[in-house]
Amino acid sequence: MASVEKGVSLAPFNPTTDTGQQVALKLFHLTCYDSLFDLGCGDGRLLLKAAKSVDGLLCTGIEYNDDFANRAKQNIENESDDLKSRIRIISQDVARCEHLITLEATAVFLYLLPEGLIIIKPILEKVRKKPNSRIVSYLFSIPEWEPDEIGRSKANLPVFLYRSKHVVNPDPI
């Protein structure tokens, strides 16, 4: 396991704007082959928007704060059985989910403070080594990484995309 600090809040709850979410989802180019992780998912709004826009997309939110994780679970509970089956919320410290993230994630969304990005950077580096993986960070760039693309929200706030250098075409079903 990477030496990631345990039990630390990576950012305060500050929801990503609707236009920030739209830009992030556009940068991801998500498909039914993807597994989207939102690290610090808050109330789950990005996961819901993504799952509603891409049939078959699997989504996982990891939230350190139990109150927000429970709110996300409640928000998902009001959705269709299909959506409920494709979104899971884990109430846990991101560092304790490192194995799950590195095993399953093909797309990772972040809205974390620079200090939080530094703390989980070892996990992000493992994800970025996976073929076709994408990492999107809202507002703050990942230290020492060069983004592949920078989108902008309506308020001109940056949305940074980082792509894996390993690209593989998935087999059609």
Side-chain angles (χ1 to χ4, degrees), residues 85-143:
S85 72
R86 295 189 289 117
I87 303 172
R88 68 180 163 184
I89 303 296
I90 300 171
S91 182
Q92 187 62 264
D93 181 359
V94 167
R96 293 186 181 268
C97 298
E98 177 178 353
H99 180 72
L100 180 68
I101 297 165
T102 57
L103 181 68
E104 293 184 12
T106 60
V108 175
F109 179 77
L110 311 157
Y111 181 12
L112 304 177
L113 297 174
E115 299 81 13
L117 292 169
I118 290 168
I119 289 170
I120 67 163
K121 191 173 172 188
I123 297 171
L124 299 176
E125 287 171 341
K126 288 181 180 181
V127 171
R128 196 174 188 200
K129 289 179 182 177
K130 294 172 59 176
N132 299 335
S133 65
R134 285 97 64 218
I135 299 169
V136 169
S137 181
Y138 180 67
L139 202 54
F140 300 105
S141 63
I142 299 172

Side-chain angles (χ1 to χ4, degrees), residues 3-49:
S3 58
V4 175
E5 199 171 330
K6 307 277 190 267
V8 175
S9 177
L10 302 173
F13 179 67
N14 187 15
T16 305
T17 64
D18 285 339
T19 58
Q21 290 177 41
Q22 291 168 0
V23 171
L25 295 176
K26 184 176 178 184
L27 288 171
F28 272 130
H29 295 287
L30 295 167
T31 71
C32 63
Y33 298 105
D34 282 310
S35 178
L36 172 65
F37 276 64
D38 184 349
L39 307 185
C41 70
D43 60 9
R45 65 184 70 195
L46 177 92
L47 299 170
L48 280 166
K49 185 172 278 201

